[in-house]
């Protein structure tokens, strides 16, 4: 059914409409809410704060609206961020730090933030949607969980209250991701005049997996998102899973309108749509042509020589499946010894969420396994795995440029932009080995080599086929992949959400 849908949203109607701004003054105001904002801080010993601006789809997308469109509400993530928020008037950061954009950074109490972000968002909701629990031992929903959930509610309430304060009459609010799943309904209660949207950047669990959550919690999450006028997802697979959860858990009515779903519950209707975030091709090509990328590319080529390259670039998130990717590469070398000394796996595994023990252990296992493969197969002139664990964007782009094969094998992923970015930059064209559980598979699957992310032998054979792919076929597939990958770049993705919400 997903492949038959239109992914370009057509204006529809909703039973719940936010009234227009009475004076027309705020009709164009757009506010964004996300856990992470567009700027972060470091604090020197002398008390000096230094701002560092971030990137990503939201930053690029919001830039399409100009600097005066509205306020970005985010949380302070570090002690330095909290200090910056305390020094700012009303929490609104200095425009010199934010590039002129209005950013309100919330100084949420450390206990509340940690319980909400690590205890619930990343240790419960993220695990449910990525279906990564080891069910014999986890989850355990006990008193400790209940206490963390109360803090999660407070965290979401802080965002809703800030948005209610910042928004002019009739403004539009775009709430981002699972961290803030309760915000739309809370904000609806505080400010029924606002037009509210929610966007999910992760997969959405099927109903059976979602119902791991205690029933009252599952209902609260669904009702939170249904507080929006329109909720959007990266693929139809995730959108349909959300709708099915609403039907099973809430008894909501789901109707299919082809270009969108509509969920009716308690006298209101929430529209459901899809926007598949794409790669920013123009930015990637410009950034990848800079001297620092050329320098790193030269260093990698010297290390790899004239051998073929299998490239992966990921954070060491549990869903990315880096360990099984390394095991599949090891199986390739075992089953096809003709590739010994003829291929190098360039694997960048940048640490993520190292404040959680399970992530630290996973990162250590990645390093251990890469070392084991090198020890087993390596020679004085050949290092089978080139592993880097220190984040370096320029080096990642250099690896993209030299890729013959891209390995993207997540257990489950909302989209996966790496699958979209590598074909844009691969200088000789690349063969994409892609997990069918990546959201990007819906758009790229026809020109990728499909793998079951759990199947080591199958992934090894896909890598073998990718390495054997004739150059002409590889270049042609890569060209089509790049075209599909850049079809909805961040600015267009953001504006499409906005237009559909306001329709």
């Amino acid at each position: 059914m997903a492949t038959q849908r239109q992914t370009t949203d057509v204006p529809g109607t909703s039973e719940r409409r936010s009234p227009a701004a009475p004076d027309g003054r705020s009709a164009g105001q757009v506010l964004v809410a996300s856990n992470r904002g567009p700027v972060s801080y470091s604090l020197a010993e002398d008390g000096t704060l230094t701002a560092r601006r971030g990137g990503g789809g939201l930053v690029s997308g919001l830039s399409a609206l100009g600097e005066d469109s509205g306020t970005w509400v985010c949380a302070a993530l570090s002690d330095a961020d909290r200090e910056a928020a305390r020094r700012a008037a009303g929490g609104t950061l200095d425009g010199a730090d934010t590039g002129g954009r209005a950013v309100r950074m919330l100084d949420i109490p450390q206990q509340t933030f940690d319980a909400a972000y690590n205890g619930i968002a990343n240790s419960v909701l993220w695990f449910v949607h990525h279906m990564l629990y080891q069910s014999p031992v986890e989850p355990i929903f006990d008193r400790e969980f209940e206490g963390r959930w109360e803090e999660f509610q407070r965290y979401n309430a802080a965002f809703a209250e800030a948005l209610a304060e910042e928004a002019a009459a009739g403004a539009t609010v775009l709430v981002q991701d699972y961290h803030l799943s309760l915000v739309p309904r809370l904000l609806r209660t505080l400010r029924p005049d606002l037009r509210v949207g929610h966007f999910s950047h992760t997969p959405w669990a099927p109903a059976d997996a979602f119902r791991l959550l205690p029933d009252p919690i599952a209902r609260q999450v669904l009702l939170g998102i249904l507080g929006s006028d329109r909720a959007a997802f990266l693929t139809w697979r995730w959108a349909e899973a959300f709708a099915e959860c609403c039907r099973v858990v809430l008894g909501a009515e789901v109707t299919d309108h082809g270009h969108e779903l509509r969920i009716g519950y308690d006298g209101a209707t929430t529209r459901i749509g899809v926007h598949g975030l794409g790669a920013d091709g123009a930015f990637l090509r410009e950034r990848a042509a800079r001297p620092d990328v050329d320098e790193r590319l030269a260093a990698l080529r010297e290390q790899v020589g004239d051998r073929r390259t299998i490239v992966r670039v990921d954070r060491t998130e549990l869903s990315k499946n880096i360990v099984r990717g390394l095991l599949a590469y090891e199986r390739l070398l075992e089953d096809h010894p003709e590739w010994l000394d003829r291929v190098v796996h360039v694997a960048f595994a940048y640490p993520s969420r190292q404040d959680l023990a399970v992530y630290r252990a996973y990162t250590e296992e990645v390093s251990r396994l890469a070392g084991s493969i090198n020890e087993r197969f390596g020679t004085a002139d050949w290092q089978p795995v080139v592993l880097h664990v220190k984040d370096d964007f320029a080096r990642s782009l250099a690896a993209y440029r030299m890729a013959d094969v891209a390995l993207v094998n997540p257990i489950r992923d909302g989209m996966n932009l790496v699958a979209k970015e590598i074909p844009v930059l691969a200088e000789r064209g690349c063969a994409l080995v892609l997990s069918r559980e990546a959201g990007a598979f819906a758009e790229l699957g026809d020109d990728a080599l499909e793998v079951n992310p759990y199947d080591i032998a199958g992934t090894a054979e896909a890598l073998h086929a990718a390495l054997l792919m004739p150059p002409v076929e590889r270049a042609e597939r890569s060209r089509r992949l790049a075209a599909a990958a850049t079809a909805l770049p961040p600015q267009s993705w953001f504006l499409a959400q906005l237009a559909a919400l306001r329709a």
Side-chain angles (χ1 to χ4, degrees), residues 336-451:
H336 297 282
E338 63 268 31
W339 290 114
L340 295 174
D341 201 24
R342 293 181 55 210
V343 65
V344 173
H345 186 14
V346 179
F348 297 164
Y350 301 139
S352 175
R353 301 176 182 172
Q354 293 300 289
D355 47 350
L356 297 176
V358 65
Y359 284 84
R360 293 195 299 272
Y362 189 77
T363 302
E364 291 169 3
E365 177 60 14
V366 167
S367 296
R368 186 204 66 77
L369 185 54
S372 174
I373 293 171
N374 284 335
E375 182 177 353
R376 179 181 176 191
F377 293 100
T379 67
D381 300 320
W382 173 52
Q383 183 178 336
V385 180
V386 173
L387 176 68
H388 286 280
V389 296
K390 183 178 180 181
D391 201 342
D392 186 330
F393 184 55
R395 187 174 57 212
S396 297
L397 296 178
Y400 288 2
R401 286 173 56 182
M402 71 186 299
D404 295 305
V405 177
L407 175 58
V408 183
N409 67 318
I411 295 170
R412 192 169 166 87
D413 226 338
M415 177 54 69
N416 196 298
L417 283 180
V418 170
K420 294 187 170 187
E421 292 170 348
I422 295 182
V424 173
L425 294 183
E427 294 178 348
R428 296 185 296 265
C430 75
L432 175 62
V433 176
L434 181 61
S435 166
R436 63 194 184 202
E437 297 302 315
F441 189 83
E443 300 168 65
L444 307 182
D446 288 347
D447 286 299
L449 284 76
E450 175 184 351
V451 293

Side-chain angles (χ1 to χ4, degrees), residues 102-393:
V103 177
R104 180 168 170 180
M105 184 172 280
L106 304 181
D107 179 17
I108 295 172
Q110 181 77 51
Q111 177 182 338
T112 297
F113 178 84
D114 287 345
Y117 181 71
N118 289 322
I120 296 296
N122 290 339
S123 294
V124 176
L125 298 181
W126 190 90
F127 271 76
V128 166
H129 289 314
H130 288 84
M131 300 171 63
L132 286 177
Y133 274 127
Q134 301 178 62
S135 56
V137 294
E138 58 182 4
I140 298 173
F141 296 126
D142 53 10
R143 289 187 186 277
E144 184 178 351
F145 163 79
E146 291 165 5
R148 293 196 301 265
W149 183 259
E150 290 178 1
E151 298 290 5
F152 185 76
Q153 293 174 297
R154 294 187 184 99
Y155 162 86
N156 275 255
F159 272 87
E161 290 162 6
L163 289 164
E165 293 171 3
E166 295 288 341
T172 300
V173 181
L174 290 171
V175 180
Q176 303 297 313
D177 225 357
Y178 60 99
H179 313 86
L180 304 180
S181 54
L182 308 184
V183 167
R185 181 161 295 274
L186 294 170
L187 185 56
R188 174 75 55 200
T189 300
L190 295 171
R191 291 289 304 275
D193 62 297
L194 301 179
R195 181 69 55 88
V196 181
H198 186 278
F199 193 91
S200 293
H201 294 262
T202 65
W204 193 274
D208 286 348
F210 186 75
R211 296 190 77 180
L212 281 175
L213 293 170
D215 289 351
I217 303 300
R219 291 179 57 85
Q220 195 171 349
V221 170
L222 295 173
L223 290 173
I225 293 176
L226 289 181
S228 56
D229 294 281
R230 186 175 185 274
F233 298 82
L234 288 164
T235 72
W236 281 112
R237 181 181 179 184
W238 314 140
E240 289 165 350
F242 173 78
E244 180 65 4
C245 287
C246 291
R247 187 188 68 78
V248 171
V249 175
L250 300 177
E253 180 183 3
V254 179
T255 55
D256 189 337
H257 294 259
H259 62 279
E260 68 178 14
L261 302 174
R262 296 180 191 173
I263 299 177
Y265 183 77
D266 195 27
T269 298
T270 300
R271 295 180 292 138
I272 308 297
V274 166
H275 304 281
L277 174 63
D280 189 340
F283 165 75
L284 287 171
R285 293 185 184 100
E286 184 279 325
R287 181 65 184 87
R290 295 184 193 174
D292 60 340
V293 179
D294 290 335
E295 292 170 5
R296 287 160 175 79
L297 180 59
L300 285 171
R301 282 180 170 155
E302 182 177 357
Q303 191 171 12
V304 169
D306 59 359
R307 300 176 180 91
R308 307 294 296 281
T309 57
I310 299 171
V311 170
R312 79 172 305 137
V313 177
D314 282 307
R315 296 202 172 277
T316 52
E317 295 176 359
L318 305 183
S319 62
K320 299 301 183 183
N321 211 23
I322 302 169
V323 167
R324 288 191 186 89
L326 287 167
L327 291 172
Y329 177 65
E330 183 177 42
R331 181 70 176 265
L332 171 74
L333 299 180
E334 292 171 351
D335 292 355
H336 297 282
E338 63 268 31
W339 290 114
L340 295 174
D341 201 24
R342 293 181 55 210
V343 65
V344 173
H345 186 14
V346 179
F348 297 164
Y350 301 139
S352 175
R353 301 176 182 172
Q354 293 300 289
D355 47 350
L356 297 176
V358 65
Y359 284 84
R360 293 195 299 272
Y362 189 77
T363 302
E364 291 169 3
E365 177 60 14
V366 167
S367 296
R368 186 204 66 77
L369 185 54
S372 174
I373 293 171
N374 284 335
E375 182 177 353
R376 179 181 176 191
F377 293 100
T379 67
D381 300 320
W382 173 52
Q383 183 178 336
V385 180
V386 173
L387 176 68
H388 286 280
V389 296
K390 183 178 180 181
D391 201 342
D392 186 330
F393 184 55

Side-chain angles (χ1 to χ4, degrees), residues 49-91:
L49 285 167
T50 301
R52 181 173 180 265
R53 296 181 204 167
L58 275 179
V59 174
S60 298
L62 199 59
S63 68
L65 301 178
E67 296 177 357
D68 298 326
S69 59
T71 299
W72 189 324
V73 177
C74 61
L77 305 185
S78 65
D79 290 340
D81 286 355
R82 292 185 186 89
E83 182 61 26
R86 290 164 190 156
R87 295 183 190 181

